[in-house]
């Protein structure tokens, strides 16, 4: 328990239950990382030679990798936030010569790691991408995973008499390969309820709900401990796709594409100019619908529009909220060029007894904000 925040730790096989008091009392730190692609956690316990964790629970398999599920919830202002829902992947023990100072650490990943454990050979004759994805994700409903699949704009379908696609990798690798071709992203988001997660497949869209602003150099209203900005002048490029004319299939037609993301506005009035020109390989051999899919996928690529990167840390109890990834946040106090709205790429939660801090990474394209106000 923290002042103004309550931490709930649930552990168990398949269906986790609240951890017993002996486990909670042994917790020395909790770290949870939520990023654009995946999430992970690490919990460290301080134990002694006679601790029930060392003498009974660890030998009995209470923290057994792969089978042990962990849910971490923080409640602030009566609102629960599910920070993590995943499985333990490794455990480490660091004995100490000092009594009661040994450390036992468990590390794990979100529920997407279950999708990356078994390689499968599965044919999908005459099936569009959205049907393949729903069929793959249906088997994980037992873990409380709810699929949210946004159909790709262009879905080429091969005739089963000529050829069909066959999955020869794990479910996670296959889904991410489809997402890469479409310019989409795939991730498993814990919550909104304990024991429930959302498997999102779709464009890289941040929720258009601005969070409370992070403030620096504003006296008593400052709520960040550190902040640094990086402007990469080499981040932007122009990519040229060369396709053959659809009639004779002999005349090459170059199509230059800007380095922008159509689902992510620049958030700045002065975007970074492109510094490179690249040519797409093997695009001329593609069918018209497949070439269009590649072009749209590039325009929706999640790696575009990130010339400015911000790294910082804050105290959650002073910020009075939990900063969440894959959303928008306002920033103020850094000056006319860098103030404004940003996309939250990743957040790392660092929790210790009496302390709750976050380190974060923000991004946007362009200097000088195009929004007059930020949410305080």
């Amino acid at each position: 328990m923290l002042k103004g925040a309550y931490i709930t730790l649930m552990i168990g096989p398949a269906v986790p239950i609240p951890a017993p008091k002996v486990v909670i009392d042994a917790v020395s730190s909790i770290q949870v990382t939520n990023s654009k692609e995946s999430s992970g956690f690490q919990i460290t316990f301080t134990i002694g030679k006679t601790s029930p964790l060392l003498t009974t629970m660890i030998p009995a398999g209470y923290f057994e990798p792969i089978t042990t599920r962990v849910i971490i919830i923080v409640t602030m202002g009566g609102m629960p936030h599910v920070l993590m829902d995943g499985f333990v992947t490794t455990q480490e023990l660091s004995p100490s010569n000092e009594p009661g100072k040994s450390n036992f650490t468990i590390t794990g990943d979100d529920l997407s790691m279950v999708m990356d454990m078994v390689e499968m050979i599965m044919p999908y004759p005459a099936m569009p991408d959205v049907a393949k994805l729903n069929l793959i994700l249906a088997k994980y409903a037992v873990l409380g995973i709810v699929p949210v699949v946004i159909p790709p704009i262009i879905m080429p379908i091969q005739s089963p008499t000529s050829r069909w696609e066959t999955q020869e990798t794990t479910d996670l690798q296959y889904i991410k390969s489809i997402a890469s071709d479409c310019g989409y992203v795939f991730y498993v988001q814990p919550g909104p309820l304990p024991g429930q997660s959302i498997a999102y497949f779709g464009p890289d869209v941040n929720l258009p709900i601005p969070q409370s602003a992070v403030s620096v150099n504003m006296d008593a209203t400052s709520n960040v401990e550190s902040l640094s900005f990086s402007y990469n002048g080499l981040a932007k490029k122009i990519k040229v796709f060369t396709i053959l004319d659809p009639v004779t299939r002999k005349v090459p037609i170059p199509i230059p594409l800007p380095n922008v993301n159509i689902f992510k506005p620049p958030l700045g009035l002065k975007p970074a100019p492109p510094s490179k020109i690249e040519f797409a390989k093997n695009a001329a051999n593609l069918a018209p619908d497949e070439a269009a899919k590649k072009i749209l996928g590039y325009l929706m690529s999640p790696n575009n529009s990130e010339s400015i990167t911000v790294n910082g840390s804050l105290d959650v109890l002073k910020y009075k909220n939990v900063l969440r990834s894959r959303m928008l946040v306002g920033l103020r106090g850094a000056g006319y060029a860098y103030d404004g709205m940003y996309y939250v790429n990743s957040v790392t939660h660092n929790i210790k007894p009496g302390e709750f801090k976050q380190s974060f990474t923000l991004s946007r394209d362009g200097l000088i904000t195009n929004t007059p106000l930020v949410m305080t």
Side-chain angles (χ1 to χ4, degrees):
M1 184 179 70
L2 306 172
K3 183 179 179 181
Y6 296 86
I7 308 300
T8 303
L9 179 62
M10 304 175 70
I11 303 178
V15 181
I17 60 175
K21 185 176 184 299
V22 65
V23 174
I24 297 297
D25 291 342
V27 173
S28 60
S29 67
I30 299 175
Q31 184 179 80
V32 178
T33 300
N34 302 124
S35 64
K36 294 195 299 182
E37 295 186 355
S38 62
S39 301
F41 68 92
Q42 186 174 81
I43 305 176
T44 301
F45 304 89
T46 301
I47 57 178
K49 290 193 297 184
T50 60
S51 171
L53 275 73
L54 187 61
T55 60
T56 305
M57 304 183 80
I58 297 176
Y62 185 77
F63 302 100
E64 193 72 16
I66 307 303
T67 60
T68 303
R69 188 171 176 179
V70 175
I71 298 178
I72 303 171
I73 308 166
V74 59
T75 303
M76 292 190 66
M79 180 66 67
H81 302 272
V82 182
L83 301 184
M84 173 52 58
D85 186 351
F87 283 92
V88 176
T89 56
T90 60
Q91 58 176 242
E92 301 175 9
L93 178 64
S94 301
S96 173
N97 291 324
E98 299 182 35
K101 295 296 183 180
S102 299
N103 287 329
F104 175 71
T105 303
I106 57 175
T107 305
D109 296 326
D110 62 28
L111 296 182
S112 64
M113 59 87 61
V114 180
M115 306 178 186
D116 200 30
M117 296 178 64
V118 180
E119 290 189 352
M120 306 186 68
I121 299 178
M122 180 69 67
Y124 299 106
M127 293 181 65
D129 290 339
V130 65
K132 302 174 195 173
L133 295 167
N134 282 306
L135 180 62
I136 293 172
L137 295 174
K139 64 172 75 86
Y140 301 103
V142 67
L143 297 175
I145 297 178
V146 179
V148 176
V149 178
I150 309 300
I153 298 175
I154 298 177
M155 291 186 291
I157 301 177
Q158 299 290 339
S159 172
T161 58
S162 58
R163 61 178 292 269
W164 63 69
E165 281 197 46
T166 300
Q167 174 186 344
E168 298 179 345
T169 60
T170 63
D171 288 341
L172 183 62
Q173 292 173 352
Y174 186 67
I175 293 174
K176 287 194 171 184
S177 68
I178 297 176
S180 177
D181 291 340
C182 300
Y184 280 11
V185 295
F186 175 77
Y187 56 82
V188 177
Q189 174 75 38
L193 300 176
Q196 182 185 66
S197 297
I198 295 175
Y200 175 79
F201 177 92
D204 185 23
V205 179
N206 290 58
L207 291 179
I209 304 174
Q211 304 177 82
S212 300
V214 293
S215 305
V216 66
N217 195 25
M218 298 191 71
D219 300 327
T221 58
S222 298
N223 53 23
V224 297
E225 297 181 340
S226 65
L227 208 61
S228 63
F229 297 81
S230 175
Y231 186 168
N232 184 5
L234 301 176
K236 303 297 289 294
K237 61 186 177 183
I238 294 176
K239 197 163 189 176
V240 180
F241 282 79
T242 302
I243 63 173
L244 301 179
D245 72 287
V247 179
T248 64
R249 301 287 298 170
K250 293 182 179 180
V251 180
I253 304 175
I255 303 178
L257 300 178
N259 190 200
V260 296
N261 189 328
I262 59 179
F263 284 101
K264 278 191 172 184
L267 297 180
L269 294 177
K270 187 181 176 184
S275 60
K276 299 180 181 178
I277 298 178
E278 294 183 356
F279 288 85
K281 298 179 180 179
N282 301 324
N285 298 324
L286 299 175
D289 55 350
E290 293 180 343
K293 180 180 178 180
K294 288 283 187 181
I295 291 173
L296 282 175
Y298 175 77
L299 291 176
M300 295 186 293
S301 172
N303 296 321
N304 294 349
S305 303
E306 294 186 354
S307 60
I308 297 178
T309 303
V310 185
N311 293 293
S313 62
L314 57 82
D315 189 327
V316 173
L317 302 183
K318 191 172 183 179
Y319 181 63
K320 298 180 180 179
N321 210 334
V322 178
L323 184 66
R324 305 304 299 265
S325 62
R326 307 184 184 99
M327 296 179 68
L328 293 171
V329 69
L331 189 150
R332 57 181 185 165
Y336 182 68
Y338 289 102
D339 281 354
M341 302 298 297
Y342 284 84
Y343 301 109
V344 185
N345 289 347
S346 66
V347 176
T348 298
H349 312 265
N350 297 290
I351 305 171
K352 296 180 180 179
E355 179 181 287
F356 187 1
K357 296 185 178 182
Q358 292 180 302
S359 55
F360 54 86
T361 301
L362 316 178
S363 69
R364 82 174 185 199
D365 181 30
L367 299 171
I368 307 174
T369 178
N370 54 14
T371 54
L373 297 173
V374 296
M375 181 178 175
T376 58

